[in-house]
């Protein structure tokens, strides 16, 4: 008898880690790596210097927290903005500035959005996310989920940047397992930019095929 595939908390955490690395890489921060070791923790907390959290619910409920040191936050912020063409002279100088908080919150939103999309594709379920909350803090703040979790589990993973700055990802969620009963085809969601690019390419190919057969004299008579 074929053994059913089981997806548990650590597998879901790995998916989240991949979303963090992929989104940051697309935002000009390549080679952001996560530790192969995961830490079991008793509670999730916002920690100095810059903390962000997002709640999610649906197929399963939980909380995502990312705690950046000021050095890690500024490195990620600067590389992201410069990859978009922002002059270095116009960048914020301190992690406490509103601009840094807004940019990091935007990245957090993209990370969790990518994670929820992966969950929909891989686990065939849906989760909804709250608006990310980002804040500069100078002391530890415990974060609790405002929903009842039957068997809460919390995990922490360490990330490092190319400049050897550290930040931490924490995930709290109900203990759950997804058991695959049979094989299914994963339907990837096509990115809007890819759709537009493919449509343009298709138009170019059609134009190339049609243009040799067009009567130039006919077009000239029409004033084209």
């Amino acid at each position: 008898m074929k053994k059913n595939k089981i997806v548990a908390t650590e597998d879901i955490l790995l998916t989240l880690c991949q979303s963090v690395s992929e989104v940051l890489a697309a935002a000009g921060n390549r080679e952001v790596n996560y530790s192969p070791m995961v830490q079991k923790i008793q509670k999730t907390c916002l920690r100095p210097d810059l903390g962000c959290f997002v709640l999610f619910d649906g197929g399963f409920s939980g909380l995502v927290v990312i705690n950046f040191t000021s050095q890690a936050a500024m490195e990620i912020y600067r590389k992201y903005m410069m990859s978009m063409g922002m002059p270095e002279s116009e960048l914020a100088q301190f992690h406490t500035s509103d601009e840094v908080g807004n940019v990091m919150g935007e990245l957090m939103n993209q990370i969790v959005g990518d994670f929820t999309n992966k969950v929909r594709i891989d686990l065939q379920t849906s989760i909804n996310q709250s608006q990310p909350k980002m804040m500069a803090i100078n002391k530890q703040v415990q974060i609790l989920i405002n929903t009842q979790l039957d068997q809460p589990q919390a995990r922490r993973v360490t990330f490092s940047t190319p400049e050897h700055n550290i930040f931490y990802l924490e995930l709290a969620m109900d203990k759950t397992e997804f058991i695959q009963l049979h094989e299914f085809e994963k339907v990837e969601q096509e990115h809007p930019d890819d759709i537009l690019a493919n449509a343009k390419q298709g138009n170019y190919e059609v134009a190339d095929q049609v243009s040799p057969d067009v009567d130039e004299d006919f077009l000239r008579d029409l004033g084209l």
Side-chain angles (χ1 to χ4, degrees):
M1 180 180 293
K2 182 179 178 181
K3 186 176 181 180
N4 292 332
K5 179 182 177 181
I6 298 177
V7 177
T9 301
E10 278 68 30
D11 302 299
I12 295 173
L13 176 62
L14 177 59
T15 299
L16 180 57
C17 290
Q18 292 169 345
S19 291
V20 173
S21 294
E22 291 171 8
V23 169
L24 292 182
N29 287 270
R30 300 188 180 279
E31 298 182 11
V32 172
N33 299 312
Y34 51 88
S35 170
M37 303 297 291
V38 58
Q39 181 181 1
K40 288 186 177 182
I41 57 178
Q42 298 301 315
K43 58 184 180 181
T44 53
C45 296
L46 290 177
R47 306 173 190 274
D49 295 298
L50 200 65
C52 186
F53 69 94
V54 175
L55 294 167
F56 60 86
D57 58 20
F60 55 93
S61 299
L63 167 71
V64 177
V65 176
I66 300 185
N67 294 307
F68 299 93
T69 61
S70 58
Q71 296 87 351
M74 291 304 294
E75 177 187 347
I76 292 171
Y77 157 77
R78 290 170 65 85
K79 287 184 177 180
Y80 177 39
M81 299 305 290
M82 292 175 69
S83 73
M84 296 176 63
M86 176 75 74
E88 189 173 3
S89 60
E90 297 181 14
L91 298 177
Q93 299 300 311
F94 303 101
H95 75 279
T96 52
S97 69
D98 290 340
E99 182 179 343
V100 174
N102 291 338
V103 167
M104 300 305 289
E106 176 189 341
L107 290 174
M108 181 71 166
N109 191 47
Q110 294 178 22
I111 288 168
V112 180
D114 186 81
F115 169 66
T116 58
N117 188 50
K118 282 182 167 65
V119 166
R120 180 184 61 80
I121 294 171
D122 295 340
L123 302 181
Q124 297 292 291
T125 189
S126 175
I127 56 176
N128 303 307
Q129 69 184 79
S130 67
Q131 190 68 21
K133 305 297 182 183
M134 175 72 70
M135 60 190 73
I137 55 177
N138 55 18
K139 62 181 179 179
Q140 181 173 304
V141 179
Q142 184 174 355
I143 300 293
L144 299 175
I145 305 175
N146 193 26
T147 55
Q148 184 64 39
L149 299 181
D150 296 329
Q151 293 180 289
Q153 294 187 320
R155 304 286 188 268
R156 180 188 299 137
V157 178
T158 302
F159 283 74
S160 59
T161 70
E163 297 180 12
H164 307 292
N165 293 312
I166 301 297
F167 64 93
Y168 301 94
L169 167 71
E170 296 183 4
L171 170 67
M173 58 175 287
D174 222 347
K175 182 178 181 181
T176 187
E177 290 183 346
F178 288 84
I179 304 171
Q180 182 175 322
L181 300 179
H182 58 80
E183 295 293 333
F184 61 90
E185 182 178 354
K186 296 181 180 180
V187 180
E188 298 288 346
Q189 181 176 359
E190 192 168 9
H191 194 279
D193 291 342
D194 296 333
I195 297 174
L196 292 175
N198 291 336
K200 289 181 179 178
Q201 183 62 35
N203 290 337
Y204 294 148
E205 291 175 354
V206 170
D208 291 340
Q209 294 171 2
V210 172
S211 55
D213 300 326
V214 174
D215 189 331
E216 296 293 338
D217 293 334
F218 177 67
L219 292 178
R220 193 177 300 110
D221 292 339
L222 293 176
L224 300 176

